[in-house]
Amino acid sequence: MPQSASTPVAAASDAATAAKSRKVPRVVILGGGTVGLYTARRLRKRLGKREAAIVVVDPRPYMTYAPFLPEAAAGSIDARNVVAPHRRALKGVDVLQGKVSQINHAARTVEITPEEGDAYWITYDHLVVGLGSVARTLPIPGLAEQAIGFKNVEEAIAVRNHILNRIDVASSTWDPELRRRMLTFVFVGGGFAGIEALAELEDIARYTVRHYKQIEQDELRFVLVEGSPRILPEVSEELGGYTLEQLRKRNIEIHLSTFLSSCVDGHVVLSNKTEFDAETIVWTAGVKANPVLQQSDLPLDQMGRVTVNAKLQVIDADGVVVPDAYSAGDCAAVPDLYNPGKFCPPNAQHALREGNHLGDNLARVLRSAELTEYSHKNIGAVASLGMYKGVAQMFGKIKVRGFPAWVLHRTYHVFAMPTVNRKLRIMAGWTGSVLLRREVVSLGSLHDPRAEFRDASVPPKPRAQEPAPADPEIKAGTQKAKSAAR
């Protein structure tokens, strides 16, 4: 499958030769996230191996179900259960682990860079771009050095371990300024990701502090910074206001219409002139299309997303279909047929359905049938605000708060999670958390497991020897002084 050609021109020549000799059309799916995984599963369900060869390319060996990241960070779900292993979930599909570094659709080739070894090119007959998004950052002084994102499971667990570790360390620290710095936690971004992460982690932090006699609840300081005048723009202003009220009741400090100006060395400066020190800054202020798309010949919009029509076919600026290319999810500008002139929001609800629809359309293409347009009316939005707390808005009209909304959140997302295996494991974890309570131990050393071994491997410094006194009387006096000290 891989081509050893080192240039797009050579790869193009190999691609033409390979395409002529190939009896089964090859569909290459870039990205093993929600869109990629569901497209591959649906296409394999529709077509047998003699009808299509399917290849999924992703740098990670699993799909992360992002809506469950806040609960994984809070310890309600085991981190391994919010991911679906590709090789288990994608039966009958080839998986290549590596980063997509270039796309040359004119030559029907893609360059893949593995974690180790040289980059190589692969060829295809049909291309699906589901590369998703990455965190959208800004040139804020100190942000890259001090902040951590909340886009994948590794970051979610790192934030959890860091917060619990700061509580551990602060419990044995008596310097008031240092304790205040350790126990201040800043979240930037008031969308679903930011609010759920903040609410779940604040909930577990306060639950944890119950076990520490040295720390009072009012020492914990959680701060939300949001650039717009409201939070949760995905739901009504009424539910957004309710969420704001609930967060304030939990003594969470909220700064709306405010931006992070600087966080150099942990000194946080906000645009409203507020200043304080913090050792924890979590960045959830939006996403952008995967930047590798800039290294392709596919048409992009001003936001760097692949332009597609309602059938999920890639189109150019004039609306002309680019043959054999398709895209969906966060990296694509998918028209929202229920809201003309707008695009489908980049959330799991649409990504999952777009993936299934794209799989169906590809099966139609390979069987020379007519493609259908993707349309989905938003059925609602659900958000968890910690254990037994949540908000939900169903079908645009039904507003649910508190415990019922929390149940809706869990029910909806566990059914959206791929594979029965993961569904059962998540539900078993929830049951265990209710019966046995959540674990509050920090395993921060997981992020650098060799640190202790490296320290142990450093030879100890030789101890300085005391110079022997030349005068016998001085020597005798020194020995008497040591005896007196004992």
Side-chain angles (χ1 to χ4, degrees):
M1 182 192 299
Q3 305 293 327
S4 59
S6 58
T7 66
V9 175
S13 175
D14 291 341
T17 304
K20 290 179 181 179
S21 62
R22 211 163 24 231
K23 295 181 179 180
V24 177
R26 179 184 294 161
V27 178
V28 169
I29 301 173
L30 305 183
T34 304
V35 167
L37 184 137
Y38 277 91
T39 299
R41 282 163 61 96
R42 181 60 69 93
L43 183 58
R44 177 49 73 220
K45 183 179 179 180
R46 293 283 185 264
L47 301 179
K49 292 184 178 180
R50 293 185 177 181
E51 295 179 277
I54 307 171
V55 182
V56 172
V57 183
D58 197 274
R60 291 186 173 89
Y62 52 79
M63 181 215 83
T64 302
Y65 189 67
F68 274 147
L69 290 182
E71 288 206 48
S76 298
I77 302 176
D78 189 288
R80 293 171 296 180
N81 295 334
V82 301
V83 301
H86 287 151
R87 284 163 178 84
R88 188 167 187 171
L90 295 173
K91 301 294 184 181
V93 175
D94 294 323
V95 179
L96 293 178
Q97 191 171 336
K99 290 184 177 181
V100 176
S101 44
Q102 287 188 67
I103 303 170
N104 185 359
H105 183 64
R108 302 297 192 274
T109 58
V110 174
E111 185 186 42
I112 300 174
T113 303
E115 187 172 336
E116 294 187 16
D118 298 330
Y120 57 89
W121 293 83
I122 63 171
T123 63
Y124 60 83
D125 299 295
H126 301 273
L127 179 71
V128 174
V129 181
L131 290 169
S133 58
V134 299
R136 177 175 58 84
T137 58
L138 299 173
I140 298 172
L143 183 66
E145 295 78 14
Q146 300 295 323
I148 182 170
F150 204 82
K151 193 75 175 60
N152 54 55
V153 68
E154 295 88 349
E155 290 175 331
I157 301 308
V159 171
R160 166 190 169 82
N161 285 330
H162 177 74
I163 288 177
L164 295 182
N165 175 263
R166 293 300 84 193
I167 293 173
D168 272 334
V169 176
S171 68
S172 300
T173 302
W174 313 121
D175 183 333
E177 290 296 326
L178 188 54
R179 277 172 69 97
R180 191 175 299 113
R181 181 188 180 99
M182 288 179 178
L183 298 176
T184 298
F185 310 104
V186 182
F187 288 74
V188 184
F192 261 98
I195 295 299
E196 286 192 302
L198 166 64
E200 289 281 359
L201 287 163
E202 187 267 351
D203 191 67
I204 191 64
R206 294 202 180 279
Y207 174 78
T208 301
V209 167
R210 298 178 191 175
H211 304 283
Y212 291 81
K213 295 181 179 179
Q214 304 93 330
I215 300 178
E216 300 294 333
Q217 289 284 349
D218 58 8
E219 289 187 82
L220 293 178
R221 182 185 183 187
F222 280 81
V223 182
L224 172 67
V225 181
E226 166 57 35
S228 69
R230 59 166 297 194
I231 62 172
L232 295 182
E234 300 89 344
V235 299
S236 67
E237 288 193 30
E238 180 185 344
L239 277 184
Y242 167 80
T243 303
L244 204 60
E245 179 185 342
Q246 294 303 307
L247 295 179
R248 283 176 171 150
K249 283 182 179 179
R250 291 157 63 171
N251 294 322
I252 295 175
E253 186 179 327
I254 298 173
H255 298 269
L256 299 180
S257 301
T258 305
F259 300 92
L260 177 65
S261 299
S262 173
C263 56
V264 176
D265 296 329
H267 182 69
V268 176
V269 180
L270 305 182
S271 60
N272 62 5
K273 308 303 180 184
T274 302
E275 295 187 31
F276 54 87
D277 291 328
E279 290 191 0
T280 307
I281 301 171
V282 183
W283 181 267
T284 65
V287 295
K288 63 180 180 181
N290 196 313
V292 75
L293 293 172
Q294 303 293 335
Q295 307 301 318
S296 76
D297 55 356
L298 298 173
L300 309 178
D301 68 1
Q302 293 180 345
M303 298 177 66
R305 300 174 300 183
V306 180
T307 52
V308 300
N309 60 20
K311 296 178 182 178
L312 305 181
Q313 298 170 296
V314 176
I315 58 174
D316 63 18
D318 299 321
V320 178
V321 173
V322 176
D324 307 324
Y326 311 84
S327 186
D330 294 6
C331 68
V334 180
D336 187 347
L337 298 185
Y338 280 94
N339 297 283
K342 295 184 179 181
F343 299 101
C344 295
N347 58 32
Q349 182 179 154
H350 278 283
L352 187 154
R353 289 168 174 80
E354 288 168 8
N356 282 332
H357 192 88
L358 188 46
D360 288 336
N361 267 357
L362 278 167
R364 292 186 179 97
V365 168
L366 294 173
R367 288 176 172 173
S368 302
E370 192 69 25
L371 276 67
T372 62
E373 294 184 334
Y374 170 77
S375 63
H376 170 65
K377 189 174 183 180
N378 199 333
I379 61 175
V382 289
S384 171
L385 301 178
M387 191 67 83
Y388 311 126
K389 299 177 283 288
V391 293
Q393 182 170 325
M394 309 304 295
F395 307 107
K397 297 179 180 179
I398 304 172
K399 301 178 179 65
V400 188
R401 308 172 181 178
F403 180 75
W406 177 79
V407 173
L408 278 173
H409 171 271
R410 287 196 161 188
T411 303
Y412 174 81
H413 286 302
V414 77
F415 280 104
M417 186 74 190
T419 76
V420 174
N421 177 289
R422 284 301 183 266
K423 288 180 173 67
L424 294 176
R425 287 179 181 272
I426 288 171
M427 289 188 285
W430 283 338
T431 304
S433 294
V434 171
L435 298 177
L436 304 175
R437 304 300 181 186
R438 292 174 289 180
E439 287 291 344
V440 294
V441 63
S442 167
L443 296 176
S445 58
L446 286 173
H447 308 295
D448 188 9
R450 296 187 64 252
E452 190 172 342
F453 182 78
R454 286 197 302 269
D455 292 342
S457 301
V458 176
K461 295 180 180 180
R463 295 179 60 184
Q465 296 182 352
E466 295 182 8
D471 192 318
E473 293 184 3
I474 296 177
K475 183 176 181 181
T478 303
Q479 290 175 340
K480 287 181 181 180
K482 289 182 177 181
S483 299
R486 295 194 192 99

